[in-house]
Amino acid sequence: MTNTLDRLAPPDSENLASPGPVDTERVADLVGQLLAALGEDPGREGLSDTPARVAAWWSGFLYPEASVAPTCFTEQHLSGQLVVIGGMSVWSLCEHHLLPMNLDVAVGYVPDGEVMGLSKFGRIAQRYAGRLQVQERFTRQIADEIAVVLGNTDVAVAVRGTHLCMSTRGVRMEAARTTTVQAGGRFESDPVLSQQFLTLATDRWRAA
Ligand code: ZN
């Protein structure tokens, strides 16, 4: 494996910072207070274990992994090939409302002598999903991290989001979907490559 990371500046600190850890005891205490503030009796049978369950959920959901080991393989003969990995569906939380959002992620890249283990793309998506997020930032963070790990800016990420904060509150638009695209390197400069990526990335969204 050649060290090509020097060619690229690392993502900004916001991208690498993983907040946390979760103070589960305090979260459980606050959930009990929330139940009371909602007019409930936190002591009644159905709710007595709810604060601990909710705290365990938060602690399991947020910050699943501190870092992804960059497993890259040198494959000179694969340089120039378009690789698209789609259908990576993850759950995240909208940081404005603390409501779930489902993010369906597709990644494309053009290997430049190195390829990355396929499951790593999913792990990177999962890691950035496990925090309070906005879809636009999530999309960019994935693209930035893959570019750094591969030492290659020819990376594109498309995300289609379904946001509970749009479907269950405010405008209550059940069918609304949000699509974000971050394109770097050749995906920015080559319209044919960009179109090929978008066609493959959005294939499953059109079929749905
Ligand atoms: Zn929201």
Side-chain angles (χ1 to χ4, degrees), residues 117-184:
L118 291 175
S119 66
K120 295 296 171 196
F121 294 97
R123 285 192 187 283
I124 289 171
Q126 263 168 351
R127 179 154 71 90
Y128 286 112
R131 61 184 63 185
L132 304 184
Q133 266 293 12
V134 295
Q135 180 177 333
E136 295 87 338
R137 187 169 67 226
F138 172 77
T139 308
R140 185 171 58 79
Q141 285 173 326
I142 294 175
D144 285 354
E145 172 132 352
I146 292 169
V148 168
V149 169
L150 283 168
N152 177 352
T153 55
D154 298 334
V155 174
V157 177
V159 178
R160 189 170 83 150
T162 308
H163 298 246
L164 257 62
C165 62
M166 271 196 90
S167 52
T168 64
R169 58 162 289 287
V171 290
R172 291 183 191 255
M173 290 179 176
E174 176 91 36
R177 300 288 181 271
T178 305
T179 303
T180 42
V181 178
Q182 181 82 38

Side-chain angles (χ1 to χ4, degrees), residues 63-83:
Y63 327 123
E65 214 179 337
S67 66
V68 175
T71 316
C72 294
F73 307 96
T74 303
E75 294 279 356
Q76 289 297 348
H77 60 291
L78 292 180
S79 293
Q81 183 182 92
L82 171 61
V83 181

Side-chain angles (χ1 to χ4, degrees), residues 94 96-97 165:
C94 147
H96 301 135
H97 303 96
C165 62

